[in-house]
């Protein structure tokens, strides 16, 4: 007697594990008619499961993954993630991992030993089907021949001038859209918030400068268009963590060189008991004055322009500015999350309230996080022969 499936019984959606268990019953010798009657499935369905056993095993293997040791933190982080993405906030890996550790301390107490290692983060993304998405690009051209000859030229210049590494500086400007968020974010598969916000046009120019020993990082110079931004009306400019100036072309000028760079270098050399002479390497941007005009009063501190080689050999341009901007975007999001938790402010309003003054403090934190090793690597990359 063949046991048929019960008429009118609603079919169940079987999991991969259940399908494989059913196949195993048949392989052990149980009659197919009894298995079919037990589960209430058509005979053809059972035959399909038996035929597809290798595929089912492969699928089960893909689905197996380590579960979170602390499911409370896992779920709390995912709920936070969804809430931030519903606001359209771009979320990077370091930011999510930092948030996970903060949530663990909040849930399990300050003695929590949870650390969001890369392996844990990768598994967390897989559990919740989260991937990196783009929410702009820039091509640079350079004089390859000049770049190839430059290291030898620089060595000769150093020998002729008798400079030690402490006396060799490099500076580079970078446009900084200080309200611009990351154009990438982690998002779940069905996340509808992959569209970003309108790009901010609030821009300043930041001038970064450090010497070859990586021990002397000058304060970042922020050059804006406004001489007196509203947020700085009643602020002592000397108390700001960054140097603020304004210029119609927002590039290096004779005034900036004489009043910002030269005094800072002299102080550093005096502290190191070195002769007050130095050379500053900079790019030959059209807006810059002639390098012959950028000389200290005693002629001992000078500027040497690089010729169309910035993107290849200029140390500051070899990764320091990129690192700074990544850190800045992360700090902006950390600042937003803190304010969002305290006041419930939405992302659009937070960016609207952000001022030049706020930007200077956030930028200084980021510049301080660019470590000496990163600067040394960029010098090695930019000036290698």
């Amino acid at each position: 007697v063949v046991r048929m499936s019960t008429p009118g019984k609603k079919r169940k959606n079987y999991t991969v594990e259940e399908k494989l268990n059913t196949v195993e019953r048949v392989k052990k010798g149980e009659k197919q008619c009894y298995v079919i009657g037990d589960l209430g499935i058509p005979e053809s369905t059972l035959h399909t499961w038996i035929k597809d056993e290798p595929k089912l095993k492969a699928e089960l293997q893909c689905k197996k993954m380590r579960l979170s040791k602390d499911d409370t933190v896992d779920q709390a982080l995912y709920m936070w993630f969804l809430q931030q993405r519903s606001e359209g906030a771009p979320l990077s890996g370091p930011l999510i991992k930092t948030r996970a550790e903060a949530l663990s301390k909040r849930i399990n107490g300050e003695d929590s030993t949870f650390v969001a290692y890369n392996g844990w983060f990768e598994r967390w993304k897989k559990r919740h089907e989260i991937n990196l998405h783009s929410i702009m690009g820039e091509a640079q051209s350079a004089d390859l021949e000049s770049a190839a000859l430059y290291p030898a030229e620089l060595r000769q210049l150093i020998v002729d001038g008798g400079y030690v590494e402490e006396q060799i500086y490099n500076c580079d400007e970078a446009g900084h859209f200080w309200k611009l968020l990351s154009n990438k974010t982690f998002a779940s598969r069905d996340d509808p918030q992959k569209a970003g916000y309108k790009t901010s046009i609030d821009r300043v120019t930041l001038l970064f400068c450090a010497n070859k020993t990586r021990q002397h990082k000058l304060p970042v110079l922020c050059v804006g268009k406004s001489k007196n931004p509203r947020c700085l009306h009643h602020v002592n400019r000397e108390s700001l963590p960054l140097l603020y100036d304004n210029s119609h072309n927002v590039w290096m000028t004779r005034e900036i060189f004489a009043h910002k760079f030269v005094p800072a270098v002299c102080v550093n050399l005096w502290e190191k008991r070195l002769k007050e002479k130095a050379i500053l390497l900079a790019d030959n941007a059209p807006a810059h004055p002639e390098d012959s005009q950028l000389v200290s009063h005693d002629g001992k501190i000078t500027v040497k322009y690089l010729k169309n080689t910035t993107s290849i050999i200029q140390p500051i341009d070899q990764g320091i500015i990129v690192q700074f901007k990544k850190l800045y975007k992360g700090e902006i999001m950390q600042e937003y999350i803190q304010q969002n938790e305290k006041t419930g402010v939405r992302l659009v309003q937070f960016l609207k309230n952000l001022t030049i003054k706020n930007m200077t403090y956030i930028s200084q934190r980021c510049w301080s996080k660019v470590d000496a090793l990163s600067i040394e690597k960029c010098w090695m990359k930019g000036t290698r022969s």
Side-chain angles (χ1 to χ4, degrees), residues 129-149:
E129 297 183 319
I130 291 171
N131 298 294
L132 188 63
H133 297 271
S134 293
I135 336 181
M136 216 157 2
E138 179 180 323
Q140 296 185 3
S141 59
D143 186 340
L144 299 179
E145 184 177 349
S146 296
L149 297 174

Side-chain angles (χ1 to χ4, degrees), residues 154-165:
L154 176 60
R155 285 194 296 271
Q156 190 60 47
L157 184 67
I158 292 172
V159 171
D160 293 343
Y163 299 109
V164 297
E165 290 189 344

Side-chain angles (χ1 to χ4, degrees), residues 227-242 244 355-358 360-361:
K227 185 176 182 179
N228 293 298
R230 184 178 300 175
C231 61
L232 300 181
H233 278 182
H234 303 291
V235 175
N236 179 7
R237 302 290 178 88
E238 299 299 323
S239 67
L240 291 175
L242 302 188
Y244 183 83
T355 66
I356 288 281
K357 182 180 177 181
N358 302 136
T360 62
Y361 283 94

Side-chain angles (χ1 to χ4, degrees), residues 74-224:
D74 184 286
Q75 292 301 317
L77 180 65
Y78 185 56
M79 294 302 295
W80 169 85
F81 175 86
L82 294 178
Q83 188 271 325
Q84 294 300 322
R85 288 300 305 137
S86 69
E87 300 284 342
L91 304 175
S92 64
L95 178 63
I96 295 173
K97 290 190 285 186
T98 300
R99 188 61 188 166
E101 293 174 359
L103 285 171
S104 179
K105 289 184 178 180
R106 181 180 298 181
I107 294 170
N108 301 319
E110 290 297 323
D111 296 332
S112 170
T113 58
F114 171 79
V115 179
Y117 291 114
N118 288 337
W120 173 89
F121 181 55
E122 290 301 318
R123 292 191 295 274
W124 181 83
K125 289 191 296 179
K126 287 182 181 178
R127 282 194 292 274
H128 299 289
E129 297 183 319
I130 291 171
N131 298 294
L132 188 63
H133 297 271
S134 293
I135 336 181
M136 216 157 2
E138 179 180 323
Q140 296 185 3
S141 59
D143 186 340
L144 299 179
E145 184 177 349
S146 296
L149 297 174
Y150 178 75
E153 182 182 334
L154 176 60
R155 285 194 296 271
Q156 190 60 47
L157 184 67
I158 292 172
V159 171
D160 293 343
Y163 299 109
V164 297
E165 290 189 344
E166 193 73 42
Q167 298 166 325
I168 305 171
Y169 287 80
N170 176 230
C171 74
D172 194 19
E173 300 102 335
H176 184 43
F177 291 88
W178 50 279
K179 290 188 179 183
L180 186 63
L181 300 174
S182 173
N183 66 333
K184 289 184 180 292
T185 182
F186 283 101
S188 59
R189 182 176 58 185
D190 301 322
D191 190 343
Q193 294 289 335
K194 291 174 187 173
Y197 290 98
K198 181 180 179 181
T199 302
S200 169
I201 60 173
D202 294 313
R203 176 184 178 274
V204 295
T205 294
L206 299 182
L207 178 67
F208 302 89
C209 186
N211 69 353
K212 199 172 187 297
T213 66
R214 78 242 187 231
Q215 299 301 321
H216 188 205
K217 288 195 304 182
L218 278 72
V220 177
L221 173 62
C222 175
V223 183

Side-chain angles (χ1 to χ4, degrees), residues 323-337:
Q323 184 180 355
F324 169 86
K325 290 187 175 182
K326 286 182 179 178
L327 289 168
Y328 181 86
K329 289 176 181 178
E331 287 286 332
I332 283 286
M333 287 308 304
Q334 290 280 17
E335 192 84 13
Y336 159 67
I337 288 167

